[in-house]
Amino acid sequence: MGFWKTFFGGEEATPEEKKNADAKNFDLMKYDGVKAMRMGQLEYAERCFNEALKIQDDMEVHDYLSQTLTRLGNLEGALQELLTMARVAPDNVAVLMQGAHVAYMLENYEQMKTLCEQALALDGENALANYQMAQAVIGQGDTISGIAYLTKAITLSEELADARLLRAKTLLAMGDVKGAGEDVDWLMAHTDEEEDVLLMAARVACAKGQTEEAINIYNKVTELNPFQLDAYRERGKLKFELGDKQGAEEEMQKLLEMNPDEMANVSGDYTAEGVEQAVKRAYSNMNPFGI
């Protein structure tokens, strides 16, 4: 009764009445936010969670808000929520790893590394945490340490395909074609035909000089994903080097249809140079490993 009196300008609510009202409002905002989040009404969910946090600092709400902000594309905001959670629960490895994942999406490798160091201090045998640490240090240019962390992650969890894929990519960039090939062979034998794996297999075949094999694998990539720009770009380079200028031009034309800025990004004015010269410049400037 006292709450309604206060609402309509009557008696001031007692501390107990105010406490009860705050609790009801917190629950209302929290669960309305959860419902809105699940229905895809993300802007409304964000408002609800922020209102709930004004009433009560609740870690579950911070978690929901971080998820909502991530889906809204506000990765900086999501990371701040996760860092808040990590400060409150510094021994929660799952929170640290989720924060590291968001930092990775932001390419904030220093923050990612810090979070991974905390997670590994708590659980050094966590395969996923070792993989994330590898992502962080490789992002900072420390490929040697990255390979070490990836190898440990794979040792801890042989089925961690993402770690093998990143190790193959890193080894190939370092010029270790044999090592990259071994990881690719494992991936080809133990995974279904996946776009990223096939793309790496094509790059390894290219590095080995197996041009026709590489083109055949690129064909499988574009069958799986007709919008895979790297496959068209890299397959076009191989065709150009084989002397198949028409095929190379067709690949470049597909790229231009899907990404009109493609030629401007690599070779300037496409129409002014003429097709043949533009294609020649485009493919000449391209890294053979797609890196």
Side-chain angles (χ1 to χ4, degrees), residues 204-229:
V204 169
C206 178
K208 290 179 177 179
Q210 300 167 350
T211 305
E212 292 295 338
E213 175 66 13
I215 289 176
N216 289 334
I217 299 173
Y218 281 124
N219 292 342
K220 292 181 181 180
V221 175
T222 55
E223 287 172 10
L224 283 174
N225 179 7
F227 303 98
Q228 217 317 325
L229 298 181

Side-chain angles (χ1 to χ4, degrees), residues 42-88:
L42 301 177
E43 290 82 3
Y44 179 67
E46 179 187 2
R47 291 198 297 272
C48 287
F49 293 139
N50 281 321
E51 289 301 318
L53 289 172
K54 289 178 183 177
I55 300 169
Q56 181 179 325
D57 191 23
D58 180 85
M59 290 302 102
E60 191 175 16
V61 175
H62 281 293
D63 186 19
Y64 287 135
L65 182 55
S66 75
Q67 295 177 48
T68 300
L69 292 172
T70 299
R71 291 170 63 184
L72 283 168
N74 183 356
L75 298 179
E76 286 286 0
L79 179 58
Q80 291 309 310
E81 295 302 318
L82 288 160
L83 291 175
T84 296
M85 294 168 64
R87 285 192 291 271
V88 173

Side-chain angles (χ1 to χ4, degrees), residues 146-160:
I147 292 295
Y149 282 112
L150 288 170
T151 300
K152 183 171 183 180
I154 293 165
T155 300
L156 291 167
S157 178
E158 188 180 76
E159 303 301 314
L160 192 55

Side-chain angles (χ1 to χ4, degrees), residues 186-258:
W186 188 95
L187 288 164
M188 294 289 281
H190 292 83
T191 62
D192 295 330
E193 288 196 341
E194 296 179 8
E195 178 184 327
D196 290 342
V197 172
L198 288 170
L199 195 60
M200 185 54 58
R203 289 169 177 169
V204 169
C206 178
K208 290 179 177 179
Q210 300 167 350
T211 305
E212 292 295 338
E213 175 66 13
I215 289 176
N216 289 334
I217 299 173
Y218 281 124
N219 292 342
K220 292 181 181 180
V221 175
T222 55
E223 287 172 10
L224 283 174
N225 179 7
F227 303 98
Q228 217 317 325
L229 298 181
D230 287 337
Y232 290 109
R233 187 182 299 113
E234 294 165 30
R235 185 172 62 189
K237 178 179 175 65
L238 292 180
K239 289 182 178 181
F240 183 80
E241 291 173 348
L242 287 171
D244 182 4
K245 293 182 180 180
Q246 181 179 346
E249 290 171 10
E250 289 173 355
E251 300 285 4
M252 185 56 67
Q253 188 59 47
K254 290 174 184 175
L255 277 169
L256 288 169
E257 290 170 1
M258 291 184 285

